[in-house]
Amino acid sequence: MHPIRWNKRRLLSVALSGIVFYLILSAKYNKFQAETVIKNHKPEDVWNFVADFSKMKLLNPTIEEFRILKDHGNFNHWKYEVEYIERLSHWPYWKNANMGYFSVYKLPQEQGGEYVVDSTHKTCFFAGLYCLKANGQFKFSNTHSLKDTQVVETVQYQCPPFIGSLCRREVEFQRKAIMDNLKLHFERK
């Protein structure tokens, strides 16, 4: 009887490992884009606001706490790493730990002269046992009127199979909240 128990445990362990590897390897990247226009403000001012992660906590209501781990560079190209805790918007009791790596710079004039915030994120669930990646980019540029700012955020995010619509709702909620809160902040100024 003892060898049968061992085989059942081993079989269960192999099956669970297979499921976990399937989920990890089959997480596909999806893309989402959001944009807005900030009236009567220069791209540089809006860029400076968004580039400061302490402001992101005001813009994104799912972020609960954060800690800047490293930062270096200068005004022309600034990089920083941040660790932050976030809750899911549609399931607020579920929290996840995130690492974000940010690169803040202005493109040369011959490449459009836009102000940019690039980021990569690693979001982990189940005490760090299951992690997903995302890449984001904010671009800030003048509109045709030259007195307003066009803000475009593009996000590519991983999502495991079977819960694609949940991932999409989460991304849409956060992007909409960020754009709405950003617009509201600059309308008050």
Side-chain angles (χ1 to χ4, degrees), residues 56-99:
M56 191 54 68
K57 190 173 176 186
L58 301 171
L59 298 174
N60 185 344
T62 65
I63 295 174
E64 292 194 342
E65 58 186 85
F66 72 94
R67 185 169 59 117
I68 303 293
L69 302 176
K70 285 187 205 176
D71 73 311
H72 62 282
N74 55 40
F75 183 77
N76 294 322
H77 195 172
W78 175 40
K79 294 182 179 185
Y80 64 94
E81 294 177 23
V82 63
E83 177 181 63
Y84 59 102
I85 303 296
E86 186 176 58
R87 64 179 164 73
L88 297 177
S89 64
H90 294 90
W91 199 3
Y93 303 107
W94 191 288
K95 295 182 183 182
N96 53 69
N98 303 271
M99 286 296 299

Side-chain angles (χ1 to χ4, degrees), residues 33-49:
Q33 190 170 48
E35 56 186 271
T36 194
V37 173
I38 307 295
K39 301 266 187 206
N40 301 315
H41 289 279
K42 294 187 248 174
E44 186 175 3
D45 297 335
V46 182
W47 171 66
N48 278 324
F49 185 82

Side-chain angles (χ1 to χ4, degrees), residues 36-42 45-46 49 59 148-149 178-189:
T36 194
V37 173
I38 307 295
K39 301 266 187 206
N40 301 315
H41 289 279
K42 294 187 248 174
D45 297 335
V46 182
F49 185 82
L59 298 174
D148 301 332
T149 297
I178 289 168
M179 291 300 184
D180 289 349
N181 289 331
L182 183 62
K183 203 169 185 175
L184 186 63
H185 170 78
F186 280 95
E187 284 174 357
R188 291 179 181 161
K189 287 181 107 180

Side-chain angles (χ1 to χ4, degrees), residues 2-20:
H2 182 67
I4 294 172
R5 244 193 246 144
W6 183 83
N7 285 335
K8 284 182 181 178
R9 286 184 187 157
R10 186 173 184 189
L11 182 61
L12 182 62
S13 177
V14 168
L16 287 174
S17 295
I19 291 169
V20 168

Side-chain angles (χ1 to χ4, degrees), residues 109-176:
Q109 209 55 41
E110 58 273 6
Q111 292 179 11
E114 295 172 304
Y115 294 88
V116 180
V117 177
D118 282 333
S119 61
T120 59
H121 304 263
K122 184 172 146 185
T123 300
C124 296
F125 300 91
F126 309 114
L129 294 176
Y130 185 65
C131 299
L132 298 167
K133 296 177 183 173
N135 301 310
Q137 183 178 70
F138 273 101
K139 283 191 173 181
F140 308 86
S141 57
N142 283 314
T143 61
H144 296 297
S145 71
L146 298 179
K147 61 180 189 165
D148 301 332
T149 297
Q150 175 77 33
V151 180
V152 177
E153 182 187 21
T154 305
V155 179
Q156 291 185 315
Y157 61 96
Q158 279 186 316
C159 184
F162 313 117
I163 61 169
S165 63
L166 293 174
C167 292
R168 179 85 179 183
R169 280 193 328 179
E170 187 67 29
V171 169
E172 285 176 358
F173 173 85
Q174 288 185 22
R175 290 351 335 134
K176 182 175 177 354

